[in-house]
Amino acid sequence: MERKLFIKKIALMAVLPSVFIAACSNEKKPVEGAAKEKVQTFTCPMHPQVIKNEMGTCPICGMDLVPFEKNSNDKALKVDEKRQALANITTLIIGENSFSGGKQLNGRLTVDPEQSSYISSRIAGRIERLYVRETGVKVSKGQPLYQLYSEQLATLQQEYLMAVAQQKQFQGDKIESQLVAAAKQKLLLYGQSESQVQQLLKTQKKDPFIVFYAPQSGIVAELSVTQGQYVQEGGSIIRLEGYGQLWVEADVYPNEAKNIKQGQKVKVVVAGWEDKPQEMIISFITPALQSGSQLTQIRGTIPNPSNQWQPGLQANVFLPSASQTNVLTLPVDAVIRDGKGMHVWVKSGKDNFEAKLVKTGQENDDQVEIAEGLKKGDQVVVTGAYLLYSEYILKRGKNPVEGLKLSKS
């Protein structure tokens, strides 16, 4: 009897572990069809690197954390009425209006090459004296620039004196007269003035030193020699720039250039002199794009009285355009422009805002034409659009226009 009882106990002990394991496995097995619980995370509006699994405050700045909806596919952004007031979010129902547009081009003032003078050596020799020794100096027309010592010049003077002496011996001889005229012309071509030639005849002494004078007034932009340096005939000496009138060059995209014509009048405003707009006639449109860019240039000239402007100053060129009627317009600040395209925020419900891609047309200082993407009656955010844009990126971790397509109005 005791043996049978012992065998029953052994059998029960062998079965109990398997029963216990099966029970535990049934407890851990999830119920089929039960939805997995979504974990809500929170982040700081000022420090997006702070991410927590529970509501609280930012350990850096102390601000209340906001829900982080990175995995949400909802294109709308919900902002309650109180937060709309704090963010100064205002809307406007878009409608058709008359529009007088224009295009503002970024430009700059540059030197007009026609106002520049390149001074080179008329004859080979040594720079005996340099009267102007630095760039940026203003010189006047007729001012001495440098003195040159030239043996070749002394030889030409001697030839002229000999030709004049020989002419006196053969009065009325046409050949002798021609020789004198030719010798004199050489001196004039090599930089001697008429008064210097007359002085040579008076003194009968050759002078290998010759002073060269500024052919026009201007600013010394480049100085290519030093005192005591030898120069060859035609060697560069000085470059003078005149600022009496300046070029205005402006960058233009090819699709804009087709509406611009030579001879067209435009307004130019130099930065810092907004109260002195200038009228310019477009004189040239470059036929090729600039190297490394998709831009071409337009060019014209403006007067520069008293040299009040310097080359390099920024200038805005305003292209006028014809007035239009019945076009959709918005304030310029309502349109957000980034690498993904231009978009606006449209109010789609009481507290819902949604981004929409748009295509713009002409614009002026205040308004921009909406060519595609919106329709008459849409309620568009005109102030606070950038705050909505920033909050969407912060909460969702992506650009609000990703995956959007431009809708025809």
Side-chain angles (χ1 to χ4, degrees):
M1 187 70 179
E2 292 179 357
R3 183 179 179 184
K4 290 182 179 180
L5 184 60
F6 177 76
I7 293 173
K8 287 182 180 180
K9 289 181 178 180
I10 293 297
L12 182 61
M13 292 177 63
V15 173
L16 279 176
S18 61
V19 175
F20 181 76
I21 292 172
C24 290
S25 62
N26 288 335
E27 287 181 3
K28 292 182 179 180
K29 186 176 180 180
V31 179
E32 292 185 4
K36 294 182 180 180
E37 184 179 355
K38 182 180 177 181
V39 178
Q40 175 67 63
T41 57
F42 300 86
T43 186
C44 174
M46 297 299 295
H47 302 90
Q49 70 270 25
V50 176
I51 299 177
K52 292 188 175 183
N53 294 328
E54 58 184 1
M55 188 63 175
T57 58
C58 175
I60 300 175
C61 64
M63 289 185 65
D64 291 336
L65 301 182
V66 297
F68 185 55
E69 305 168 8
K70 185 174 182 179
N71 297 321
S72 174
N73 292 320
D74 189 6
K75 293 296 182 182
L77 186 65
K78 189 174 182 65
V79 181
D80 59 47
E81 188 174 347
K82 182 178 179 181
R83 291 175 62 201
Q84 290 180 41
L86 290 173
N88 191 30
I89 296 174
T90 60
T91 60
L92 174 72
I93 297 178
I94 190 171
E96 296 178 343
N97 300 293
S98 297
F99 182 76
S100 179
K103 189 66 181 178
Q104 177 179 327
L105 305 178
N106 295 323
R108 69 208 64 84
L109 302 183
T110 61
V111 176
D112 183 353
E114 294 183 359
Q115 302 295 307
S116 298
S117 178
Y118 295 82
I119 301 172
S120 57
S121 178
R122 298 281 190 90
I123 193 169
R126 182 179 73 245
I127 303 293
E128 191 67 21
R129 187 173 181 184
L130 199 58
Y131 297 101
V132 178
R133 301 190 180 188
E134 58 184 340
T135 58
V137 176
K138 183 178 180 180
V139 298
S140 302
K141 183 177 180 180
Q143 178 179 333
L145 297 178
Y146 65 96
Q147 184 187 56
L148 190 72
Y149 171 83
S150 174
E151 289 289 349
Q152 185 180 355
L153 178 61
T155 301
L156 293 175
Q157 291 175 348
Q158 185 63 38
E159 288 180 2
Y160 176 66
L161 292 175
M162 290 176 61
V164 171
Q166 195 167 351
Q167 182 189 30
K168 291 180 180 179
Q169 294 179 2
F170 300 94
Q171 294 289 338
D173 192 313
K174 292 184 178 180
I175 295 179
E176 295 298 333
S177 298
Q178 290 175 356
L179 290 174
V180 171
K184 180 180 179 180
Q185 186 64 25
K186 282 184 180 180
L187 291 174
L188 296 175
L189 289 174
Y190 280 109
Q192 296 268 265
S193 64
E194 184 68 36
S195 60
Q196 288 173 321
V197 173
Q198 294 301 323
Q199 182 68 17
L200 176 62
L201 282 176
K202 183 178 179 180
T203 60
Q204 292 293 305
K205 292 181 179 180
K206 61 182 181 179
D207 185 4
F209 297 97
I210 178 173
V211 177
F212 290 89
Y213 301 89
Q216 69 174 51
S217 299
I219 305 296
V220 179
E222 185 178 343
L223 193 60
S224 306
V225 296
T226 57
Q227 187 166 296
Q229 178 180 336
Y230 281 85
V231 292
Q232 298 296 323
E233 182 178 340
S236 178
I237 304 293
I238 293 175
R239 178 166 64 88
L240 297 178
E241 290 181 347
Y243 298 158
Q245 69 178 26
L246 297 171
W247 271 1
V248 179
E249 294 179 339
D251 299 326
V252 183
Y253 287 100
N255 62 329
E256 298 171 341
K258 62 184 180 182
N259 299 321
I260 303 173
K261 297 180 180 179
Q262 290 189 19
Q264 181 178 350
K265 291 184 178 180
V266 296
K267 183 175 75 171
V268 176
V269 176
V270 180
W273 282 269
E274 286 77 8
D275 58 333
K276 296 181 180 179
Q278 303 291 311
E279 186 178 82
M280 181 185 79
I281 296 177
I282 298 175
S283 59
F284 185 72
I285 303 174
T286 54
L289 299 180
Q290 300 178 50
S291 177
S293 73
Q294 293 297 311
L295 296 171
T296 185
Q297 281 187 342
I298 63 172
R299 182 195 306 153
T301 59
I302 59 172
N304 186 22
S306 305
N307 291 347
Q308 62 179 339
W309 299 318
Q310 297 79 39
L313 281 174
Q314 296 297 310
N316 292 321
V317 178
F318 295 90
L319 301 174
S321 63
S323 298
Q324 301 180 65
T325 57
N326 300 327
V327 294
L328 298 179
T329 61
L330 281 176
V332 173
D333 293 339
V335 180
I336 297 177
R337 309 160 198 255
D338 64 6
K340 299 289 185 180
M342 293 180 287
H343 70 277
V344 298
W345 286 87
V346 177
K347 193 171 186 179
S348 56
K350 181 182 178 182
D351 297 328
N352 291 335
F353 298 89
E354 194 171 338
K356 280 194 175 184
L357 284 174
V358 295
K359 181 179 179 181
T360 61
Q362 300 183 35
E363 64 180 89
N364 53 31
D365 294 339
D366 304 314
Q367 299 288 313
V368 58
E369 175 191 359
I370 304 299
E372 295 179 19
L374 295 177
K375 62 182 183 296
K376 183 179 178 181
D378 284 342
Q379 192 171 359
V380 184
V381 175
V382 291
T383 63
Y386 279 95
L387 291 174
L388 295 175
Y389 172 73
S390 302
E391 183 166 352
Y392 189 96
I393 293 179
L394 178 65
K395 285 188 173 182
R396 309 289 168 81
K398 55 186 176 182
N399 195 295
V401 298
E402 283 185 10
L404 293 183
K405 293 183 179 180
L406 189 65
S407 60
K408 302 292 183 180
S409 57

